[in-house]
Amino acid sequence: MTTTTVPVQPAASAAQERPAGFAGLMLSEWTKIRSVRSTVWSLAVLVVLTLVFTGLFMKMGIANWDETNAAQRAEMRMDPTGTILGSGILLSQLAVCVLGVMAIASEYSTGMIRASLLAVPRRVPVLAAKSAVFGLLVLVVGEVTAFGSFFVGAPILDGKAPVALGDAGVVRAVVGCGLYLALLGLFALAVGAIVRHTAAAITTVVGFVLVITPMAGMLPGSVGEHIHAWLPTEAGFMITQQHARAGDLLGPWEGLGVLALWTAALMAVAAVQLRRRDA
């Protein structure tokens, strides 16, 4: 009597080995992002340089304390945490913006995005998984950077503007700094997904942060003040302040909420565009 051996189907075997669902997509995106050495090194250098610049700016502030006008000294004493976080955050937010754009725009440039979209025909889960992985990564790096900056800057300011982690508003400001960087990274990722061209998207985001926002602050009257206050980076940065300052139109959490709304709106546009346009 002859027995017949039924071969194992390769497709079935591959399906059993491949992670399914959204968790599988996140694992795939995590593998992609950590396998790019430039991203890993960029984040590491970002943390180190931010801490170095925070220390340098704080030392410069103390060295020039007597030459600083009374209003600036009073502001530093009232909000030492905001002073510490603000001294190094410019470098951090620029790096995060560039990385956010490159996280998705570079895949359009190389054509890698087509492979991801072929595997997931509905497309939107790919954007959601990429956003979740990148946002969580930046959140972790942002919190490390924020707490590191505080512990570098606080001892330097201790003689002129003492501050401790247990003081009112400090933990919220430091934790909020990491949240701000994570949302800003997702904001940049959404722009990259809409523009789909690395250089153009980076120019758009950096121009918005460094050019449009400061220029809006020069608009006259209360209308100009409200426009400036509701721009994403200006509003989101409010979360890093230990205490409210004179003339603030938004509170810390309100400002972060405005940045979150901007980011959600851009993500919605990117999702619609992803479903309707070819890669």
Side-chain angles (χ1 to χ4, degrees):
M1 183 175 179
T2 304
T3 59
T4 302
T5 303
V6 179
V8 177
Q9 296 296 326
S13 177
Q16 292 175 353
E17 295 177 1
R18 184 175 62 247
F22 190 71
L25 284 175
M26 290 190 65
L27 178 60
S28 175
E29 293 298 332
W30 169 244
T31 301
K32 283 194 289 186
I33 200 168
R34 69 183 175 86
S35 63
V36 180
R37 292 185 178 182
S38 60
T39 301
V40 177
W41 280 106
S42 295
L43 290 172
V45 171
L46 163 67
V47 175
V48 173
L49 288 182
T50 301
L51 298 182
V52 170
F53 274 95
T54 298
L56 287 175
F57 281 121
M58 291 299 95
K59 284 185 176 295
M60 289 172 58
I62 294 301
N64 298 315
W65 184 266
D66 293 334
E67 288 75 29
T68 305
N69 63 56
Q72 290 177 320
R73 292 198 298 266
E75 184 173 321
M76 291 179 68
R77 288 194 178 101
M78 182 186 72
D79 188 11
T81 304
T83 302
I84 293 169
L85 297 176
S87 62
I89 202 67
L90 178 62
L91 176 66
S92 301
Q93 66 181 12
L94 287 179
V96 165
C97 285
V98 171
L99 288 173
V101 169
M102 292 182 63
I104 190 165
S106 60
E107 292 196 24
Y108 281 100
S109 301
T110 61
M112 186 185 297
I113 192 70
R114 296 190 186 95
S116 299
L117 298 182
L118 285 173
V120 186
R122 288 189 300 164
R123 297 187 172 194
V124 174
V126 174
L127 178 62
K130 188 180 295 293
S131 301
V133 170
F134 181 76
L136 288 172
L137 176 61
V138 175
L139 177 61
V140 172
V141 174
E143 296 297 353
V144 170
T145 304
F147 276 94
S149 296
F150 179 80
F151 289 124
V152 166
I156 299 174
L157 282 182
D158 189 62
K160 303 294 184 181
V163 62
L165 199 60
D167 293 347
V170 173
V171 172
R172 186 262 304 149
V174 177
V175 172
C177 185
L179 292 172
Y180 167 75
L181 290 175
L183 282 173
L184 185 61
L186 293 175
F187 178 92
L189 188 147
V191 173
I194 294 170
V195 177
R196 299 188 175 189
H197 187 279
T198 304
I202 290 175
T203 302
T204 300
V205 175
V206 173
F208 199 94
V209 173
L210 291 184
V211 180
I212 295 177
T213 299
M215 286 182 64
M218 295 186 288
L219 293 173
S222 61
V223 174
E225 292 179 1
H226 282 79
I227 291 175
H228 182 245
W230 282 78
L231 289 175
T233 51
E234 183 67 22
F237 195 70
M238 300 292 296
I239 193 68
T240 66
Q241 295 181 5
Q242 182 180 349
H243 301 293
R245 301 183 183 185
D248 287 346
L249 298 179
L250 297 172
W253 291 112
E254 292 173 334
L256 193 69
V258 169
L259 174 57
L261 288 175
W262 275 87
T263 303
L266 287 177
M267 279 292 179
V269 173
V272 171
Q273 187 172 289
L274 184 63
R275 294 186 63 182
R276 294 183 176 180
R277 285 178 58 185
D278 293 333

